[in-house]
Amino acid sequence: MGHHGAIVPYSTSVKALLLNTLEVVIFGEKSCNETTLTTLRLVDAPLLRVVRIGGNSFCYTGSFVVKKLPVLEAVVVGEWCFAKRGNGTSLTIQDCPALTEVCVGSHAMEEWKKCAIEACPSLATLTVEGSCFQKASALRLEGLGCVGCGA
C-alpha cells in the first residue's frame, strides 16, 4: 500500500470486508464437515439478508449463533445438518428485527440440547420438520412476531 492508507493485517481486513458487504450466505450440500469446525457464528453483519445451509452440512458443529443482524430475513437449514451430539449443543437466533422465516429441515440438530430464538419481532414463519431437537432440554421463544397467525 502507498502512503495514503494504513496497513491492516490481511485477516482483519478480509473479515471486515466480508462483514460489511455480505448480503447472502449459501453453504452447499455436504459443506463444512471438518472435525475442527465446532462453532458457526454469524454476528454483526449489517447487510446480511439470507443464510441457507444445504443438507448434510456442519456435521461436527455443535453451536450455531445468529445474532445482531439488522436486515436478516431468512435462516434455512437443510435436512441432516448439525449432527453433533452432546450437552453443549445449541442454536441461538437473537436480535434480528427483520427476520421473517426460520426453517429447520428434518433430522437437523436432531440431538441438540438447546434452542433459543429471541428478539425477532418480525418472525412470521417458524418451521421445524420431523426429528429435530429430540433431546432438547431447553426451548426459549421470546420477543417474536405473529408466528403462524397468517397476519
Side-chain angles (χ1 to χ4, degrees), residues 87-142:
N87 289 332
T89 52
S90 66
L91 168 65
T92 302
I93 300 175
Q94 186 176 32
D95 297 323
C96 300
L99 185 65
T100 60
E101 175 188 9
V102 174
C103 179
V104 180
S106 66
H107 297 277
M109 303 173 188
E110 191 169 31
E111 294 193 18
W112 279 30
K113 300 293 184 181
K114 296 179 184 175
C115 174
I117 303 175
E118 303 174 283
C120 300
S122 299
L123 190 63
T125 304
L126 175 58
T127 304
V128 179
E129 295 179 357
S131 300
C132 299
F133 298 106
Q134 289 188 26
K135 304 283 182 171
S137 58
L139 172 63
R140 184 180 187 125
L141 304 172
E142 289 185 358

Side-chain angles (χ1 to χ4, degrees), residues 55-69:
N56 295 290
S57 297
F58 292 95
C59 290
Y60 298 99
T61 303
S63 175
F64 182 23
V65 177
V66 177
K67 192 172 179 181
K68 296 181 183 176
L69 302 174

Side-chain angles (χ1 to χ4, degrees), residues 25 27 40-44 48 51 64-67 69:
V25 174
F27 296 97
L40 174 58
R41 290 181 51 86
L42 300 170
V43 178
D44 292 322
L48 186 59
V51 176
F64 182 23
V65 177
V66 177
K67 192 172 179 181
L69 302 174

Side-chain angles (χ1 to χ4, degrees), residues 2 11 13 24 50 61 63 83 91 147 149:
S11 62
S13 61
V24 176
V50 176
T61 303
S63 175
L91 168 65
V147 176
C149 69

